[in-house]
């Protein structure tokens, strides 16, 4: 029968292991990014204050809507 060589099996296993490590690293990086973004949001809110932060985000959303309307998006 046609059996794969030992080298092919080792290469295939190494490739699968590399893919697993890359996925694990990307997952960890994603978690870190989300946690840092949440911490920065909390720091900005505590520094600026909740009412002013709310106004700034509301104004930003208005500008995005106006721009989208002007661009016809």
């Amino acid at each position: 029968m046609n059996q794969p060589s030992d080298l092919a099996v080792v290469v295939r296993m190494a490739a699968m292991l590399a893919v697993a490590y890359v996925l694990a690293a990307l997952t960890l990086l994603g978690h870190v990014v989300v946690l840092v973004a949440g911490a920065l949001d909390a720091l900005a809110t505590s520094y600026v204050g909740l009412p002013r932060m709310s106004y700034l985000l509301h104004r930003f959303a208005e500008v995005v809507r106006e721009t989208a309307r002007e661009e016809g998006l």
Side-chain angles (χ1 to χ4, degrees):
M1 295 231 175
N2 192 6
Q3 295 216 357
S5 66
D6 290 336
L7 181 60
V9 171
V10 169
V11 169
R12 189 177 299 131
M13 289 294 179
M16 286 190 286
L17 187 61
V19 168
Y21 275 120
V22 168
L23 287 176
L26 288 174
T27 302
L28 180 63
L29 180 65
H31 281 80
V32 169
V33 167
V34 168
L35 288 173
V36 168
L40 289 175
D41 177 51
L43 283 172
T45 303
S46 68
Y47 179 72
V48 174
L50 189 58
R52 183 177 285 170
M53 191 70 165
S54 175
Y55 170 76
L56 290 174
L57 290 175
H58 181 69
R59 181 66 189 132
F60 177 74
E62 285 179 9
V63 169
V64 169
R65 275 193 290 272
E66 290 171 10
T67 304
R69 227 178 276 126
E70 290 174 2
E71 296 292 327
L73 298 176

